[in-house]
Amino acid sequence: MITLALSKGRIFEETLPLLKAAGIQVLEDPETSRKLILGTNSPDVRVVLVRASDVPTYVQHGGADLGVVGRDVLIEHGVDGMYQPLDLNIARCRMSVAVRDDFDYAAAVKQGSRIRVATKYTEIARQHFADKGVHVDLIKLYGSMELAPLTGLADAIVDLVSTGNTLRANHLVEVEHIMEISSRLVVNQAALKLKREPLRRMIDAFASAIQA
Ligand code: AMP
């Protein structure tokens, strides 16, 4: 049995064409089913639905043989025990610094002020500001980062941006682009040895179906 860990939403939807290329069709729709383990047309392959931030944990500890996870989540979590054979080029977005449109970020940086930054991505933010030599106080949040500058909790946020609509709707502007994000395939290292043939076939099929 091969177990693939996916999160609901964009990653699940955008992984379906890759699975199809490997001859695998998921038999249930996670948006309508309450099941957490989904069967496929292949009796030896199943999909487990987990939170995006839990995908690395499942793969690392062998709860799943492989998974699809954003680069952001992987950097925050660490990659021990996992092999990362492919950038699947799906669920693309960028990690950015954003501030209120009336906050002069460049001046604050130039003056060497301590900037309060709210984010779910504390590791990425810590590295980014350390590389730039900017002093920051990081405030860990678990959701709706956009609210932090509007309420005075923080001066800036570090968050994922796709269309930019969420920032615009909240009078925030992007002031720094930290990195491009896309989702990667991660594979449990022990599983790759024990189930080498079927996993290799699946990885090769995914590789051939990646869109530029
Ligand atoms: P947008 O309004 O299109 O710029 O999307 C921004 C919102 O969607 C933010 O709240 C992000 O945290 C979230 N978001 C955008 N892209 C992704 C992604 N690839 N994975 C997870 N969350 C995302």
Side-chain angles (χ1 to χ4, degrees), residues 130-210:
D131 288 349
K132 288 180 57 86
V134 173
H135 298 291
V136 291
D137 289 320
L138 292 178
I139 301 165
K140 171 91 181 180
L141 289 179
Y142 294 90
S144 300
M145 267 81 82
E146 302 84 10
L147 198 54
L150 306 179
T151 54
L153 178 67
D155 305 307
I157 60 171
V158 166
D159 195 8
L160 296 173
V161 181
S162 178
T163 60
N165 288 339
T166 306
L167 293 182
R168 269 189 296 278
N170 291 293
H171 307 287
L172 301 173
V173 288
E174 259 177 295
V175 286
E176 261 163 17
H177 178 182
I178 301 180
M179 61 177 70
E180 293 296 320
I181 302 287
S182 55
S183 291
R184 282 123 202 268
L185 187 67
V186 287
V187 185
N188 177 279
Q189 283 173 351
L192 193 60
K193 294 197 184 91
L194 293 168
K195 307 178 184 178
R196 187 162 188 91
E197 274 313 305
L199 285 177
R200 265 284 144 215
R201 270 201 302 280
M202 203 182 284
I203 295 167
D204 290 345
F206 277 25
S208 68
I210 294 171

